Amino acid sequence: MSSVAGIPFVNLSAQHRALKDDLLSAVARVLEHGQFILGPEVAEFERQFAEFCGVRYAIGVGNGTDGLTLALRALDIGAGDEVITAPNSFMSTTSAIVMVGARPVMVDSADDLNIDVTQIEAAITPRTRAILPVHLTGRPADMGPLMTIARAHHLHVIEDAAQAVGAAYGGCAVGSFGTIGCFSFHPLKTLNACGDGGMLTTDDSQLNDRLRVLRNVGLKTRDDCIEWSGNSRLDTVHAAMLLVKLPYLDTWIAQRRAHASEYCRLLADLPQIQLPAERPHERAVYHTFVILAERRDALSAFLASRGIRTAIHYRVPIHLQPVARRLGYDRGAFPVTEQQADRILSLPIYPELTRHDLAYVAAVIREFYTRSSA
Amino acid sequence: MTVPYSYLDRQFSDIDAYLDDIRQVVQAGDFTLGAAVERFEEQFAALTGLPHAVGVGSGTDALILPLRALGIGPGDEVITPPNTFVASVAAIVMVGAKPVFVDNNDEYTIDVNQLDAAITPRTKAVLPVHLTGNPADMPAITHICERRNLAIVEDAAQAILAAIDGKHVGSWGAAAGFSLHPLKNLNVWGDGGVVVTRSAAMRDKLRLLRNHGMATREDIHIWGANSRLDSVQAVVALRLMSQVRDITDRRIANARRYDRSFADMSDVITIPRRRPNVCQVFHTYVILVSERDRLLQRLLERGVRAKVHYPVPLHLQPAASGLGYKPGDFPVCEAHCRSMLTLPVHQHLTSQEIDSVAGEVRRFYGR
């Protein structure tokens, strides 16, 4: 196996090199009409995104975190309310709940790294208003049983689909299950803006109307402020560039899925690592490709020494972050999440990787475990 | 005659330089809090003469984040004027505090003489607005706030380069929030904002609050949202930094030209006092006029895109119904909202265009 120059964890410039001319032309067109705020490209991208997700409405917002906050606010969730969510996620899943004044109530993870639906009912109290599952790594949470529980207890479901655009469960796209779905177009996402951006999805026309007011400082018209709210709009220039990229999304997802299955094929016989095992009714989009690895930190260092960059999503579960101390969870509160946190490792998975790159990564992992067992 | 309110097509008619800068950002993939943002922050701080600037997602967030950094929240009151853009008030509500209004003065800023009476034991801060680009009376406000131990967050969204006695706005408060919205004097291609502060501790807290509270991913000590100035917007702002003084000078010259045209019309037009020690930057040119709605209609018919900032005082907006105010509570602001008129004043208007707008106004009154 010949060595390669190095495999970075992400490679944004490769994607943008190919699309550069189209992206810049899209920006130039925005400049020509000058409608930088909620211009026609935002409306068009919202229309196409809603169609992609199979929902009636999509509302562009400033970023994925604001999307979660606006979703909670649109459902009047605030002080005194509880929202059930997962401790294994990016911070903003929980911080959005805190920011609206509600209390995050966490439930441990299952072996798919997502919320363990068998433990949700035990966490429901009279104050629970919503369940906020995360489709972490781009793999859908177990939405079938989760929706059954939500219906039985009259709870809203807000999907954190920040990492999961294009993922599906039982043939339905994520973002189409809950009352509101929340997406991120952060530059490292599968469908990525050249800056911060986000999108909300819903089938409810009243929520659609309210979210449009909430993202735009509470203004129904220029002079009619019907409720106080902040400013969180998807920039027209970002929407214009996302419109250039959206037609490629299915291809990019297919490439990520092909890479994932190639990793799985190459690494299947290694007992020291556990690979993501997509179930038949799931379509994961592999925003990240996360394995559970024995001696994770040593493996990560070994890969780095061979020019392969990896990452950990996320090293510290949210309930163990210093800021979460007041939520009252100690170490041991979520044993599965905590065990996973010590073993998870994200391998490079972007579309621009070659089969050769993947084979090299797999070979170096194999070498690590062969050496250490010798 | 057509005198448009927006001028973006004229301002960015030569777009290649901007696109080159954006191309570099796109090529590098350096989209989030990268080198361009840091360079812009340094230059913006230098422009204001203040030590620290922090780029954020919008002008609204440039008020929310300082309020949050000061620990202002539920149970607290923040004093602000009722004639301003909705975001000044929304920022207070968004952190969970209660907005308390104090009437405007005849310069459209907060009436300092009424400030003391509005302060209660729950008051934590005053949020003066430098409306139209005209600084509020910061020395007087500072005097009161020091005596009453209140923080000041300056709403400088419209006031880049505005100054009193040569001191840039933002020099008085714990922090000041500026907007880089496409229609502002320093305008990017979407939403953007920047906060300036004299305090390194405030700067550090703002940097955390704009980025999920993250010092590092492994060690998060405060809850924070996401409110970052995009790198693609920072490169646009950087290119405009060299132009902003010229932009401001042209706006000031246009405003003075209007002032001179209307100087003999005090029976129908009230021009706010122009204090010699104050630099007003004329984000908007606002006068009080008789028969406002008819004049506005006439101007629109003649192709002059005049506007009203703002026709409905914030205490009378539907959103304010829970705050307990009623018509008549702020008579100065309410009278202004009935007679205020905004004439186009932007830097791309020529002297001839200013004169023809002024001529339309004069003709309306038979002068």
Side-chain angles (χ1 to χ4, degrees):
Chain A
M1 170 70 57
S2 64
S3 175
V4 294
I7 301 179
F9 183 68
V10 291
N11 190 349
L12 280 179
S13 34
Q15 177 201 23
H16 291 106
R17 207 173 299 129
L19 296 176
K20 191 180 59 190
D21 292 342
D22 290 346
L23 293 171
L24 289 172
S25 309
V27 173
R29 280 197 297 278
V30 173
L31 208 52
E32 271 156 34
H33 63 61
Q35 294 177 61
F36 291 117
I37 303 295
L38 300 179
E41 287 83 356
V42 175
E44 176 58 18
F45 181 60
E46 288 174 341
R47 193 189 65 73
Q48 292 188 20
F49 193 86
E51 195 178 298
F52 184 86
C53 292
V55 296
R56 290 175 68 190
Y57 308 106
I59 304 100
V61 296
N63 59 64
T65 305
D66 281 353
L68 292 166
T69 309
L70 291 171
L72 290 160
R73 200 163 272 147
L75 297 171
D76 291 313
I77 292 170
D81 297 331
E82 294 179 356
V83 177
I84 293 173
T85 192
N88 179 26
S89 182
F90 182 61
M91 257 338 259
S92 58
T93 311
T94 298
S95 63
I97 298 168
V98 174
M99 285 295 168
V100 300
R103 180 185 158 76
V105 172
M106 294 184 185
V107 166
D108 207 355
S109 307
D111 62 1
D112 60 359
L113 306 178
N114 284 324
I115 193 166
D116 182 348
V117 293
T118 67
Q119 298 193 43
I120 288 176
E121 281 197 294
I124 295 172
T125 77
R127 289 177 301 282
T128 308
R129 295 283 318 283
I131 307 171
L132 204 166
V134 185
H135 306 305
L136 202 73
T137 76
R139 182 172 180 181
D142 199 355
M143 294 310 286
L146 190 145
M147 292 307 294
T148 304
I149 294 165
R151 273 192 293 272
H153 295 269
H154 306 288
L155 301 176
H156 287 295
V157 172
I158 299 171
E159 296 176 68
D160 183 343
Q163 305 185 350
V165 62
Y169 181 100
C172 295
V174 298
S176 69
F177 290 87
T179 315
I180 302 176
C182 309
F183 294 83
S184 165
F185 305 124
H186 179 277
L188 297 179
K189 295 301 193 292
T190 307
L191 179 61
N192 52 348
C194 295
D196 278 312
M199 188 71 85
L200 296 170
T201 53
T202 185
D203 283 324
D204 183 315
S205 70
Q206 283 180 330
L207 281 175
N208 173 50
D209 291 344
R210 187 163 185 205
L211 288 166
R212 287 175 192 281
V213 168
L214 286 174
R215 73 170 171 185
N216 194 25
V217 287
L219 290 173
K220 192 169 187 191
T221 66
R222 179 180 173 272
D223 297 323
D224 192 19
C225 179
I226 59 172
E227 57 181 315
W228 305 117
S229 189
N231 170 359
S232 183
R233 304 177 285 224
L234 177 64
D235 279 337
T236 309
V237 290
H238 289 323
M241 290 192 273
L242 286 161
L243 277 168
V244 171
K245 293 181 175 189
L246 189 59
Y248 298 93
L249 180 56
D250 280 328
T251 307
W252 291 339
I253 290 171
Q255 286 166 329
R256 284 173 180 266
R257 287 177 53 78
H259 290 346
S261 72
E262 180 70 356
Y263 270 138
C264 288
R265 190 181 68 79
L266 292 166
L267 296 167
D269 63 321
L270 277 180
Q272 297 91 341
I273 63 174
Q274 198 178 313
L275 296 157
E278 200 176 305
R279 286 178 278 251
H281 56 281
E282 294 174 356
R283 181 184 190 247
V285 292
Y286 299 99
H287 166 61
T288 49
F289 185 83
V290 178
I291 62 171
L292 296 173
E294 283 180 16
R295 301 197 300 118
R296 186 261 323 270
D297 291 337
L299 172 61
S300 165
F302 186 72
L303 287 163
S305 75
R306 299 300 178 87
I308 299 164
R309 296 291 157 185
T310 58
I312 296 167
H313 298 100
Y314 299 91
R315 189 185 288 273
V316 181
I318 295 172
H319 69 287
L320 298 180
Q321 287 281 2
V323 71
R325 214 163 281 147
R326 275 177 48 203
L327 299 178
Y329 298 113
D330 295 323
R331 186 167 286 282
F334 304 112
V336 175
T337 302
E338 292 169 28
Q339 285 158 24
Q340 288 171 347
D342 292 334
R343 298 179 63 208
I344 46 178
L345 186 69
S346 305
L347 303 181
I349 185 101
Y350 44 89
E352 292 79 9
L353 289 171
T354 63
R355 282 179 78 88
H356 189 75
D357 294 331
L358 299 173
Y360 177 65
V361 174
V364 175
I365 293 172
R366 186 175 297 278
E367 185 190 344
F368 171 77
Y369 286 116
T370 311
R371 279 190 173 195
S372 53
S373 63
Chain B
M1 173 178 66
T2 299
V3 182
Y5 193 83
S6 175
Y7 45 87
L8 298 174
D9 51 340
R10 298 197 209 181
Q11 182 179 13
F12 298 116
S13 58
D14 178 19
I15 63 169
D16 288 346
Y18 294 90
L19 289 180
D20 278 344
D21 293 348
I22 290 178
R23 181 178 292 119
Q24 283 173 32
V25 173
V26 169
Q27 255 159 1
D30 183 20
F31 297 122
T32 306
L33 296 182
V37 174
E38 282 174 29
R39 215 160 56 242
F40 169 71
E41 289 172 341
E42 279 167 27
Q43 291 191 19
F44 194 84
L47 185 78
T48 59
L50 286 149
H52 313 293
V54 180
V56 298
S58 69
T60 308
D61 284 347
L63 299 174
I64 293 176
L65 268 52
L67 290 170
R68 194 165 276 150
L70 290 166
I72 291 167
D76 298 335
E77 294 177 357
V78 178
I79 296 173
T80 199
N83 181 28
T84 175
F85 183 58
V86 292
S88 315
V89 179
I92 298 166
V93 178
M94 286 297 105
V95 301
K98 181 186 170 191
V100 172
F101 293 117
V102 162
D103 207 352
N104 293 86
N105 58 26
D106 57 11
E107 293 186 33
Y108 323 133
T109 58
I110 194 165
D111 184 351
V112 178
N113 297 321
Q114 300 190 45
L115 200 50
D116 254 314
I119 296 169
T120 77
R122 290 177 299 282
T123 308
K124 289 293 188 304
V126 176
L127 195 151
V129 184
H130 306 309
L131 202 72
T132 75
N134 180 31
D137 188 353
M138 292 314 299
I141 292 167
T142 305
H143 184 70
I144 294 168
C145 288
E146 278 174 359
R147 187 159 48 78
R148 306 293 295 259
N149 197 25
L150 303 177
I152 301 171
V153 174
E154 297 176 53
D155 181 344
Q158 306 186 347
I160 288 171
L161 287 179
I164 304 172
D165 294 322
K167 280 174 76 177
H168 200 287
V169 294
S171 303
W172 288 270
F178 295 82
S179 166
L180 306 174
H181 179 280
L183 292 179
K184 293 301 191 295
N185 293 15
L186 176 61
N187 53 340
V188 299
W189 295 358
D191 278 310
V194 55
V195 186
V196 299
T197 178
R198 291 168 290 164
S199 156
M202 169 62 85
R203 174 205 61 196
D204 292 345
K205 197 139 195 206
L206 291 169
R207 284 183 180 165
L208 290 175
L209 287 171
R210 73 173 169 183
N211 195 25
H212 306 291
M214 292 193 303
T216 70
R217 283 189 172 240
E218 275 70 48
D219 194 21
I220 299 170
H221 286 268
I222 60 172
W223 299 110
N226 170 1
S227 180
R228 303 177 287 226
L229 177 64
D230 282 330
S231 297
V232 292
Q233 305 296 4
V235 298
V236 174
L238 275 168
R239 197 156 275 285
L240 290 166
M241 287 298 285
S242 60
Q243 305 170 28
V244 66
R245 282 191 192 280
D246 186 48
I247 288 169
T248 306
D249 288 344
R250 284 166 191 269
R251 283 172 176 261
I252 292 170
N254 283 344
R256 288 199 179 129
R257 201 166 181 93
Y258 278 136
D259 281 358
R260 285 195 297 275
S261 299
F262 303 143
D264 60 340
M265 300 174 72
S266 59
D267 53 327
V268 286
I269 294 178
T270 306
I271 299 168
R273 191 161 56 111
R274 309 295 187 203
R275 288 171 286 162
N277 64 326
V278 168
C279 176
Q280 297 187 46
V281 295
F282 296 99
H283 167 61
T284 49
Y285 180 86
V286 178
I287 50 179
L288 305 177
V289 299
S290 309
E291 301 177 79
R292 192 264 316 273
D293 292 342
R294 275 190 55 226
L295 172 58
L296 175 61
Q297 186 56 38
R298 167 78 65 85
L299 291 172
L300 293 175
E301 283 164 14
R302 297 298 167 90
V304 178
R305 299 295 299 173
K307 293 195 175 195
V308 176
H309 296 99
Y310 299 90
V312 183
L314 293 187
H315 67 288
L316 301 180
Q317 285 282 2
S321 58
L323 295 175
Y325 295 107
K326 59 183 186 310
D329 282 347
F330 303 110
V332 175
C333 165
E334 291 170 35
H336 286 178
C337 290
R338 287 189 292 269
S339 60
M340 277 177 148
L341 183 71
T342 305
L343 298 179
V345 74
H346 60 77
Q347 66 270 20
H348 294 277
L349 293 172
T350 62
S351 306
Q352 290 80 359
E353 285 174 307
I354 296 292
D355 289 347
S356 46
V357 173
E360 286 294 345
V361 173
R362 293 187 68 87
R363 265 192 297 286
F364 174 80
Y365 293 109
R367 311 292 165 96

